[in-house]
Amino acid sequence: LVLLALAGVYLLSTASLAVEGQRFRDALGTLNLAFVAFLLVGVGVRTAFPLVSLEGEGWWLVRTGPVRSWQLVLAKAAQAAPPMLVLGGGVGIGAAALLDLSPALAAASPWNGVAAALVATGLGVGLGAAWPRFDASSPAEVPLSPGGLGYMGAGLVWALGQTVVLAWPAWQVLRGAGGAVWTTPGGRLALALAVAWTAAFTAAPFCLFYTSPSPRD
């Protein structure tokens, strides 16, 4: 319900923007790529990051059973991913429709939302497992830790990097390149860099958890 409320507020705010001219709508759509990333990172610190820490002292029971702790961490990621993907993809599609973006940016908006959801899930669960707070008296205390600050910092770095990578195709759209921008060599390179950038920030936290001295196996 909280995720739906956040998505509704964001889309209502987007719909209230009265922008005339396709170029101005596309410019706002370019900024929206960064805004969606910031939104998903902010949601992840309250939803994905605390998942492992909420196990509390029961986390130690994992070591006595047939389930390895890394399997539990992946299960937590699988639990967090679907609602985050729905939120990211839904906000991306809704924003593209409400702003009436050009086809190239309209296609990039939901993809960017899905990428932000994957990064928020990977960073949240992975870093939350690498730096857990099993002694937190309230779920609200979990993000207020060095791991939570690291999550926010890494999430903002990804969001800024993603915006920079997609800046060239977005600029081509603003210049009137149309939907063919993603089939050009520059557009394909930007997509490849964006995919690699997203994959690195999604997978690296799990590698950090597996190699960290935090309780795992």
Side-chain angles (χ1 to χ4, degrees):
L1 292 177
V2 173
L3 294 180
L4 290 176
L6 285 172
V9 169
Y10 185 85
L11 292 177
L12 286 174
S13 301
T14 302
S16 66
L17 297 174
V19 181
E20 298 295 335
Q22 187 63 50
R23 179 168 296 184
F24 289 103
R25 288 195 295 270
D26 288 340
L28 188 59
T30 302
L31 295 176
N32 181 69
L33 298 178
F35 293 156
V36 170
F38 295 149
L39 173 66
L40 268 293
V41 170
V43 170
V45 77
R46 291 289 185 177
T47 56
F49 183 80
L51 283 179
V52 173
S53 296
L54 292 180
E55 291 292 325
E57 297 301 329
W59 177 264
W60 296 95
L61 294 176
V62 177
R63 302 180 66 116
T64 65
V67 179
R68 309 297 290 265
S69 58
W70 64 267
Q71 293 174 316
L72 180 59
V73 170
L74 292 182
K76 292 291 186 182
Q79 172 189 352
M84 295 294 288
L85 289 172
V86 170
L87 176 64
V91 169
I93 294 173
L98 292 173
L99 292 174
D100 192 20
L101 301 179
S102 296
L105 288 178
S109 183
W111 180 91
N112 184 67
V114 169
L118 292 175
V119 170
T121 300
L123 282 176
V125 177
L127 295 183
W131 291 297
R133 283 198 61 184
F134 296 125
D135 59 345
S137 59
S138 170
E141 294 181 6
V142 178
L144 302 177
S145 64
L149 295 177
Y151 164 87
M152 289 302 299
L156 293 178
V157 168
W158 174 82
L160 292 174
Q162 184 83 340
T163 304
V164 170
V165 169
L166 297 179
W168 184 87
W171 174 245
Q172 297 304 309
V173 172
L174 294 177
R175 293 180 60 189
V181 64
W182 300 113
T183 61
T184 63
R188 292 174 181 174
L189 177 60
L191 281 177
L193 290 175
V195 170
W197 184 249
T198 299
F201 275 78
T202 302
F206 295 103
C207 299
L208 178 63
F209 158 73
Y210 193 77
T211 58
S212 69
S214 61
R216 47 186 185 87
D217 288 313

